[in-house]
Amino acid sequence: MTVRLGIMGGTFDPIHNVHLLKASEAAHRLGLDEVVFIPAGRPWQRDLRTVSDAEERYAMTKLAVAADSRFTASRMELDRPGPTYTVDTLRELRRIHGPRTRLFFIAGADVLASIGTWHESRSLTDLAHFVFCSRQGYERVDVAPTLGDRVTLLHVPVWEISSTAIRRRVSRGQPIRYLVPDPVLDHIAHRGLYRAGVR
């Protein structure tokens, strides 16, 4: 039997409800058996000085996905040394799960603008089918030529939430309840994450 495995990669700094909504919508519409959330270890396109500790991001991801039996969290990118490249993660998942598992990489439509710059971008669709979820400002997107036809575009009706906006609200003392799952909210408060002057 073929298993259909969704992959949600991201910095997840912090993970929020729109990440979960996109994964749920993709799982429902594409018949995915599971969606694994993989926080980036050392995201090569980010200034690491602005990214929260990897263990904190993984802890929040585990808390966020715990309530949905279709979702799991993986620390594979945290435990792999060196910069984090999606192509390496897909190859590792292919090795672990074997040829009878179909991989579906789920991302926001805004990723399309930069995916051509990803490490070994031309190899990506040999490894997985790419699912791009539209968001405000990205309702119409052009598929990068390097991705060929192994792409699905999903319109997911979402409100505008971003990890950047959540970090900003916390630093200003503004509420973030209902923007992140309650366990993530509690973790941020308990650990003092994102407060002004706290890295």
Side-chain angles (χ1 to χ4, degrees):
M1 183 181 77
T2 299
V3 175
R4 296 166 71 85
L5 177 66
I7 302 132
M8 282 284 290
T11 310
F12 300 139
D13 192 18
I15 190 168
H16 53 68
N17 287 336
V18 171
H19 292 131
L20 301 174
L21 176 61
K22 288 178 179 178
S24 179
E25 190 72 4
H28 172 70
R29 290 168 64 177
L30 299 174
L32 305 182
D33 298 294
E34 178 186 347
V35 179
V36 57
F37 287 70
I38 307 176
R42 296 185 62 222
W44 67 279
Q45 289 186 317
R46 294 286 184 96
D47 180 350
L48 291 178
R49 294 170 299 180
T50 67
V51 177
S52 296
D53 177 75
E55 294 296 338
E56 296 286 10
R57 294 184 287 107
Y58 176 67
M60 289 187 285
T61 302
K62 276 187 66 176
L63 289 167
V65 304
D68 194 318
S69 62
R70 300 168 300 173
F71 297 167
T72 58
S74 168
R75 55 178 299 118
M76 80 167 45
E77 290 191 358
L78 280 65
D79 295 337
R80 189 170 64 229
T84 299
Y85 297 118
T86 298
V87 69
D88 294 335
T89 299
L90 293 177
R91 284 178 178 140
E92 187 173 353
L93 288 167
R94 172 62 56 222
R95 179 185 58 78
I96 292 169
H97 293 281
R100 295 183 65 85
T101 297
R102 290 191 62 194
L103 303 180
F104 294 80
F105 189 89
I106 306 163
D110 53 315
V111 167
L112 276 169
S114 64
I115 200 167
T117 69
W118 289 15
H119 186 64
E120 295 186 44
S121 62
R122 292 186 179 276
S123 300
L124 293 172
T125 54
D126 293 337
L127 298 163
H129 187 98
F130 276 68
V131 182
F132 293 102
C133 301
S134 65
R135 58 184 280 190
Q136 188 173 333
Y138 294 92
E139 285 79 12
R140 293 183 55 83
V141 294
D142 296 318
V143 175
T146 56
L147 296 181
D149 60 357
R150 294 194 67 192
V151 172
T152 297
L153 302 177
L154 290 183
H155 175 68
V156 180
V158 298
W159 60 100
E160 195 60 14
I161 298 175
S162 73
S163 296
T164 301
I166 289 168
R167 292 193 301 272
R168 189 177 300 126
R169 288 182 67 84
V170 174
S171 72
R172 294 173 177 168
Q174 297 172 320
I176 59 168
R177 185 174 296 279
Y178 309 121
L179 300 181
V180 298
D182 285 346
V184 174
L185 174 71
D186 294 340
H187 184 87
I188 290 170
H190 177 70
R191 299 288 293 174
L193 300 179
Y194 312 127
R195 292 183 305 196
V198 176
R199 176 61 56 217

